[in-house]
Amino acid sequence: RGGEGDVFESFVHTKFVGSKRFSLEGAESLIPLLDHVIENAAELGAVEVVLGMAHRGRLNVLCHTMQKKAADIFAEFQDVDPEAVLGGGDVKYHLGYSSDTVTRGGQSIHLSLAFNPSHLEAVDPVVLGRVRAKQERHRDALRQKIVGILLHGDAAFAGQGLVAETLNMSELDGYRTGGTVHVVVNNQIGFTTSPTESRSTPYPTDVAKMVACPIFHVNGEDLEAVAFSVKLAMEYRKAFASDVVIDMFCYRKYGHNEADEPGFTQPLLY
């Protein structure tokens, strides 16, 4: 699955040279990670998953997790009227989608990726509000049928106060969702800034210590470790109705977007 994500990015990079797409290259393990989260969620009784994320890797997630047709994604790169192709005139890496899928275990599960036309973490409370509402609709008193997944960048998770605000509400009776699965795509650079210049803590996930939830740091190059961390995190969430955080260490192959030259802003790293 990570290989499929790599082929997708390589094709787009070759076919639409210099187009902004905020590629997932360097963090392709996110695709099998999400597969495992969804598989485990279904095994543990979930019937629906609601995802929220920023722009990094969204096209890949739309294609390989949400099952949006690749042809429709490629059409959005063409020079045509955005209103005709996209509906609302928004850029392709802000769009949402929903689909139904069947897991390897034979369970049916509905997937929803929230639109995110705002900036980075602004979608977090939107996703959790949707999860809570869907749980109420399903009369899901144990809050296990609907699972919220939030994908974060490392710099945004440490740097945006909305993350702490969302975490702070996670244990309140009026806002509980049975635990959110936080996945940090930790490519160790924020726009153009290195970690030592962007936060005062060793890890970008240290803010999550405020709710004493488990934080799993895992090497994105080690797929077996990624799969194990997902299984452990999902079983913990099920047992304790708690948020869980998976901090996946990886890298960013290109600049902030494909039109940027990272050799100018981070010459030693690149």
Side-chain angles (χ1 to χ4, degrees):
R1 293 284 284 168
E4 291 175 13
D6 189 41
V7 170
F8 174 88
E9 298 288 3
S10 297
F11 176 83
V12 176
H13 191 67
T14 304
K15 183 72 174 176
F16 307 105
V17 180
S19 295
K20 281 186 184 181
R21 72 181 190 279
F22 298 96
S23 84
L24 193 59
E25 284 165 286
E28 295 93 340
S29 299
L30 177 65
I31 301 303
L33 185 155
L34 285 176
D35 284 349
H36 278 281
V37 170
I38 293 165
E39 290 280 339
N40 278 272
E43 286 177 14
L44 296 171
V47 297
E48 185 167 351
V49 165
V50 184
L51 298 95
M53 66 184 299
H55 41 267
R56 174 74 55 206
R58 178 179 283 258
L59 298 183
N60 218 312
V61 169
L62 279 166
C63 182
H64 291 110
T65 303
M66 303 303 301
Q67 302 172 3
K68 182 176 181 177
K69 290 181 181 178
D72 292 341
I73 296 173
F74 299 150
E76 292 159 5
F77 282 93
Q78 306 291 343
D79 256 346
V80 292
D81 175 19
E83 294 283 345
V85 176
L86 307 182
D90 205 347
V91 289
K92 50 193 167 290
Y93 41 81
H94 286 174
L95 299 179
Y97 201 73
S98 63
S99 62
D100 293 297
T101 190
V102 178
T103 67
R104 288 190 294 272
Q107 294 112 323
S108 296
I109 191 163
H110 183 72
L111 308 177
S112 300
L113 174 65
F115 287 74
N116 189 9
S118 193
H119 190 58
L120 301 178
E121 303 294 339
V123 77
D124 297 358
V126 176
V127 166
L128 299 191
R130 288 182 65 181
V131 170
R132 174 83 180 202
K134 287 171 182 286
Q135 289 172 345
E136 298 294 331
R137 188 182 303 162
H138 281 77
R139 303 187 189 282
D140 181 17
L142 297 178
R143 311 206 178 278
Q144 297 297 330
K145 291 182 180 178
I146 319 293
V147 177
I149 305 173
L150 292 177
L151 310 183
H152 312 269
D154 52 319
F157 198 78
Q160 289 201 258
L162 201 55
V163 173
E165 292 174 37
T166 304
L167 287 167
N168 190 50
M169 300 172 78
S170 66
E171 296 296 324
L172 302 181
D173 286 340
Y175 300 91
R176 288 180 192 273
T177 61
T180 301
V181 182
H182 299 274
V183 179
V184 178
V185 180
N186 187 349
N187 59 31
Q188 305 174 74
I189 188 168
F191 186 24
T192 63
T193 309
S194 61
T196 55
E197 296 172 325
S198 62
R199 63 174 186 264
S200 303
T201 58
Y203 295 102
T205 52
D206 286 338
V207 66
K209 291 179 179 178
M210 66 186 286
V211 291
C213 70
I215 303 168
F216 303 99
H217 306 286
V218 64
N219 179 2
E221 299 287 300
D222 186 343
L223 287 176
E224 289 187 3
V226 169
F228 178 77
S229 67
V230 169
K231 183 173 176 57
L232 187 57
M234 295 304 290
E235 289 179 354
Y236 186 97
R237 177 197 171 274
K238 170 80 171 184
F240 299 104
S242 163
D243 280 27
V244 289
V245 180
I246 300 172
D247 178 21
M248 187 183 80
F249 275 78
C250 51
Y251 66 97
R252 188 182 76 191
K253 185 173 181 179
Y254 299 110
H256 178 63
N257 65 65
E258 290 66 33
D260 294 335
E261 173 46 65
F264 290 146
T265 55
Q266 286 287 348
L268 293 178
L269 177 64
Y270 278 84

